[in-house]
Amino acid sequence: MSISYNMLRVAIHADRLRANYRLFKKDHDRVIPVIKSDAYGHGVVEVSRMLEQEGVDTFAVGFVREAVTLRTSGCDKRILALLGPVSDEDIHALWDHDILAAISHFDQLKRVAAIANTRGPLPICLKFDTGMRRLGFLPDEVNEVVAVLKKSRLVPVMATSHLASADEPGREDRVGMQTAGFRAAVDGLTSAGFAVEANLANSAGGMVHEQSRYDSIRLGISLYGGNPFQGTSWESRGDGYRPAMDVSAPVLQVHSLRAGESISYGWTFTAQRDSVVAIVGVGYADNYNRALSNVGQMTIHGRRVPIRGRICMQMTAVDVTDLIGEGKGVAPGDRAFLLGGPGTEPIMPEELADWCHTISYEIFCQLGMNRREYI
Ligand SMILES: *Cc1c(COP(=O)(O)O)cnc(C)c1O
C-alpha cells in the first residue's frame, strides 16, 4: 500500500478469500498460497493471517525482504522466497529469519554454500528452468548441482519450477515438456539421496493439468478470485472463485452535459444527447489506468455507467443519464465502483483488465496500492 492521499476505498473481503482457498484446497493436499507483491495488492500480512486460520503451513513470496517482512510480522509458518537471495545481506537473513529460499544459479549456490560453512546447515529450495527461461538450473545441470551440494552444509528440501502456458488450451504439449524436464531434475536429486518436496503447478496447472500437481501447488491468482482461463474454452474451470477486492471512489459533482457539448482534456467525447454526468474522484494517479478513457465502465447504485472522455489525474467522468432516467438519483458522496461492487453486474477483474489491455494480476497489484480496509 503506498497511495494514501486520495478517497479510494479498497475493500478486501476475507470471507471470499478464505472461500477461494477452501475451494482450491478441496482438490489438493498441500497448497502454498503465493502472497508476493503484497499478496497481489491484498496485503501480505493481513492475507497471511486469514490463511493461517485455514491451516496453511507454507507461504510463498518473491524477494527475501518480503519474506523478512512476513516473518517479523509474527508469521511462524514456513516461508518460501521464490526469487532467492540477491545479496549477502539476503543470504544471512535466511538463517536470521528462518527463510526457505529458491536457489537458481551456480554463483548463488556457491555463495550460499560458502556462508553456510560458518553459519551452519540450511534447508534450501532448488529452482529449475524447464522452459520459462527466467530463473533456474537447467534439468541437465542437476548432477553438477548435486556435486556442489554434497560438499556443502546445504540441505535441499524442495525442488520447484514454473509453467509458462498452463492457462492456454491447446498448449498441453508444452506443459508436458516442462513436466518431463522437472521430473528428470527431481529424479536426479532423489537418486543422489536428497528427498525433496516436488512443487511445479500454479493455479492454472493445479486446476487443469493433473500431471503437474506433484507434492504441493502454488496458488496465486485463483486465491484472489481471478480466473486464469478467462476468454478461453477452459473459462468455466475457473468458476466459483470470487474476487476478494472491491474498489470504490466518491462522486464529487453531478451536472448536465447537453447534446453537442464535449468533456475532459482534448474534448475526446461529445454528447450525442442531453446527458447527465457524474465526476468521480479517481484517476491515473490512483493507478486507474488512463487507457480506460472512453472505454471502461463503473457501477453506481449497482448499475453500469460508461466512462466519458479522458481519465484525468484524480478525476473521471461517467454518464449517469440512464440511471437518473430510472429514477435513481446520483449525488456527491455516492460511491462509484471501479472494481467489483454490489448488484448483479459487478465490474469483474478480467473485464477491467481487458479494457486496459492487461491481465487481472496487474489490476489487483495496481489498485491494491491504494488504502485498504478489511471486511
Ligand atoms: C506468481 C507465481 C505463482 C502464482 O501463479 P498464479 O498464476 O497466480 O497462480 C506461482 N509460481 C511462481 C514462481 C510465481 O512467480
Side-chain angles (χ1 to χ4, degrees):
M1 180 166 24
S2 61
I3 310 173
S4 56
Y5 47 75
N6 61 21
M7 300 297 285
L8 254 67
R9 194 184 291 155
V10 178
I12 307 294
H13 295 265
D15 55 336
R16 298 183 201 164
L17 219 138
R18 285 210 184 97
N20 292 340
Y21 173 78
R22 280 184 210 150
L23 185 59
F24 195 85
K25 182 78 173 73
K26 265 201 328 207
D27 295 327
H28 305 283
D29 286 342
R30 187 162 203 186
V31 176
I32 300 179
V34 180
I35 54 174
K36 67 188 182 208
S37 299
D38 208 15
Y40 293 40
H42 293 67
V44 64
V45 172
E46 293 86 350
V47 169
S48 72
R49 298 236 164 100
M50 289 170 205
L51 294 176
E52 278 184 25
Q53 291 168 17
E54 298 294 322
V56 167
D57 67 358
T58 306
F59 291 104
V61 294
F63 290 103
V64 170
R65 61 189 303 178
E66 300 179 65
V68 172
T69 299
L70 182 56
R71 179 67 78 219
T72 52
S73 78
C75 175
D76 63 0
K77 307 303 177 198
R78 185 168 68 155
I79 304 176
L80 168 64
L82 291 165
L83 294 176
V86 297
S87 64
D88 280 2
E89 189 190 340
D90 278 358
I91 295 173
H92 282 287
L94 306 182
W95 281 269
D96 295 339
H97 298 283
D98 187 19
I99 292 159
L100 177 64
I103 304 298
S104 61
H105 64 91
F106 283 104
D107 286 348
Q108 188 185 39
L109 180 66
K110 287 172 183 164
R111 187 71 194 143
V112 177
I115 293 178
N117 285 335
T118 53
R119 298 265 345 223
L122 180 76
I124 60 165
C125 167
L126 290 167
K127 185 162 188 142
F128 288 94
D129 178 357
T130 56
M132 192 70 153
R133 303 309 278 125
R134 299 189 310 192
L135 302 179
F137 299 99
L138 297 172
D140 61 16
E141 291 175 322
V142 66
N143 291 333
E144 219 178 314
V145 172
V146 164
V148 177
L149 290 174
K150 290 238 154 125
K151 283 182 286 178
S152 79
R153 304 171 85 179
L154 304 179
V155 186
V157 295
M158 183 187 278
T160 192
S161 186
H162 196 36
L163 298 172
S165 41
D167 54 353
E168 292 178 53
R171 294 278 162 81
E172 290 87 337
D173 55 329
R174 296 187 185 184
V175 174
M177 192 194 75
Q178 288 200 259
T179 306
F182 186 63
R183 177 85 271 162
V186 172
D187 286 349
L189 293 170
T190 311
S191 56
F194 296 120
V196 291
E197 172 181 340
N199 169 267
L200 176 61
N202 54 1
S203 301
M207 288 195 273
V208 172
H209 304 284
E210 297 254 354
Q211 82 275 24
S212 73
R213 288 181 177 178
Y214 293 94
D215 300 326
S216 57
I217 293 180
R218 302 185 304 277
L219 170 65
I221 194 67
S222 301
L223 172 64
Y224 307 102
N227 184 347
F229 308 118
Q230 182 80 16
T232 77
S233 58
W234 288 343
E235 198 170 302
S236 64
R237 308 267 195 122
D239 282 353
Y241 296 86
R242 218 175 141 201
M245 183 188 286
D246 280 352
V247 185
S248 66
V251 170
L252 307 178
Q253 179 171 332
V254 181
H255 59 75
S256 62
L257 188 71
R258 299 203 179 285
E261 278 189 302
S262 301
I263 189 165
S264 192
Y265 288 114
W267 287 339
T268 60
F269 176 83
T270 302
Q272 300 301 303
R273 55 171 182 173
D274 287 341
S275 318
V276 181
V277 290
I279 310 301
V280 180
V282 60
Y284 57 77
D286 314 306
N287 284 351
Y288 193 56
N289 201 309
R290 190 167 173 275
L292 293 159
S293 300
N294 285 313
V295 171
Q297 302 173 6
M298 300 187 195
T299 72
I300 297 180
H301 303 323
R303 287 270 282 116
R304 294 284 177 123
V305 289
I307 293 171
R308 298 304 194 205
R310 285 198 185 137
I311 308 267
C312 306
M313 194 178 286
Q314 296 187 292
M315 281 185 281
T316 297
V318 292
D319 187 335
V320 296
T321 316
D322 294 341
L323 234 163
I324 285 173
E326 287 171 17
K328 290 183 179 142
V330 180
D334 288 351
R335 300 300 296 186
F337 282 83
L338 348 168
L339 177 64
T344 53
E345 36 187 14
I347 309 285
M348 297 304 285
E350 287 77 17
E351 242 182 322
L352 191 47
D354 276 350
W355 293 329
C356 303
H357 312 290
T358 183
I359 52 176
S360 57
Y361 299 66
E362 185 177 346
I363 296 293
F364 289 142
C365 290
Q366 295 276 322
L367 289 177
M369 286 185 192
N370 292 285
R371 211 160 0 156
R372 293 184 295 248
E373 56 188 53
Y374 290 85
I375 294 168

